[in-house]
Amino acid sequence: MGTETKPDGRPAGRAQTLRMQGLVNVLMRTALSTPGMAKGIGRRMILLYVVGRNTGKRYAIPVAYMEYEGKVLLGTQFPWVRNLRTGERIEVRYKRKVRTAEVEVVEEEDRVVELFEIMCRDNHAFAKFHNIDVDGKGEPDPAAVREAYRLGARAILLTPTR
């Protein structure tokens, strides 16, 4: 398993971008910001307001999350994660409200792998998005999770204000 190429041409552990990812992101941002709609999808999605380090531009990034040990856990392989720094605060739209949240970026391989495995077990759509197979018992392919790390995966823990 692990690092082989899947039928869609992506290697195991490589996050996907959809053909119309920009449109999907616009729709998700709108849905997460609209009362009524946000209630349903807000159970698995959060909006991060990330400021670009070089551009200073503010980006609203929809991303899957789960609650974990009193924090909000999310993971990504995409370059926007480089704009986050441990100990800094960002704005998030979480549970239909804009709040601030303290950021912890997890970069150490074994811890990222552990947290990605937890997210894959909890949310099989997250695993599929990252091209990580989940077996019949709900366990993610460990080689694919390691490959996701090698390809840039990082875990982020947020502590939002209430």
Side-chain angles (χ1 to χ4, degrees), residues 3-150:
T3 60
E4 83 275 8
T5 300
K6 302 289 184 99
D8 66 1
R10 285 185 298 138
R14 166 74 73 192
Q16 67 179 323
T17 51
L18 304 173
R19 242 180 227 174
M20 298 182 17
Q21 189 70 54
L23 177 61
V24 170
N25 285 348
V26 167
L27 294 172
M28 291 302 296
R29 284 192 291 270
T30 300
L32 287 166
S33 300
T34 303
M37 291 180 76
K39 187 175 184 178
I41 66 169
R43 284 187 234 134
R44 287 284 188 184
M45 299 294 292
I46 189 171
L47 264 183
L48 304 180
Y49 297 99
V50 177
V51 177
R53 294 254 171 221
N54 295 326
T55 65
K57 184 177 175 184
R58 185 175 187 242
Y59 299 92
I61 301 169
V63 62
Y65 81 95
M66 65 175 283
E67 293 182 0
Y68 175 73
E69 295 184 351
K71 298 185 180 194
V72 174
L73 171 61
L74 50 112
T76 188
Q77 293 179 28
F78 294 106
W80 59 259
V81 75
R82 294 187 302 246
N83 292 304
L84 300 179
R85 299 282 188 273
T86 296
E88 290 184 354
R89 292 185 174 274
I90 63 169
E91 284 190 331
V92 298
R93 181 172 292 277
Y94 172 61
K95 295 189 176 179
R96 301 184 307 273
K97 293 182 184 174
V98 176
R99 312 159 190 259
T100 59
E102 187 170 315
V103 175
E104 178 187 349
V105 179
V106 180
E107 298 183 88
E108 190 275 316
E109 181 175 1
D110 288 340
R111 183 75 169 135
V112 170
V113 167
E114 173 190 2
L115 293 172
F116 253 67
E117 287 176 346
I118 289 167
M119 288 184 278
C120 289
R121 283 184 205 105
D122 178 70
N123 184 345
H124 293 183
F126 174 85
K128 183 176 180 180
F129 184 81
H130 289 277
N131 210 19
I132 298 169
D133 287 334
V134 176
D135 68 19
K137 296 179 182 177
E139 289 298 315
D141 173 12
V145 177
R146 292 263 174 209
E147 184 66 4
Y149 175 81
R150 191 189 70 72

